[in-house]
Amino acid sequence: MKKVLNIIYYIVLTVLIAIALLFMVSVFPVTGNIKLMTVLSGSMEPKIHTGSIVVVKSVADYKVG
């Protein structure tokens, strides 16, 4: 039983560390950096719902379509 709890502990710890690293990477202003954002309005409905978390990566130039 102790071995199973130990494995679960390390899995949870690994997931938490991965999430923390993802948040840290998304906060620093590095060119080409990804950012985590929350959709605040219904402007992206029905594809992306209000309250969803999206991953955004900036590009050098944007094009219509």
Side-chain angles (χ1 to χ4, degrees):
M1 183 67 171
K2 187 174 181 179
K3 187 175 182 180
V4 172
L5 291 175
N6 202 12
I7 291 172
I8 293 172
Y9 169 77
Y10 282 114
I11 290 172
V12 170
L13 184 64
T14 303
V15 169
L16 290 175
I17 290 172
I19 291 171
L21 287 174
L22 183 62
F23 278 120
M24 286 192 307
V25 167
S26 69
V27 169
F28 296 117
V30 178
T31 303
N33 196 11
I34 61 170
K35 292 185 179 185
L36 295 176
M37 301 178 124
T38 304
V39 178
L40 300 177
S41 69
S43 64
M44 297 187 196
E45 295 278 352
K47 296 286 183 180
I48 303 173
H49 301 289
T50 304
S52 298
I53 298 175
V54 294
V55 178
V56 179
K57 182 176 180 182
S58 299
V59 293
D61 60 334
Y62 295 93
K63 297 177 183 164
V64 176

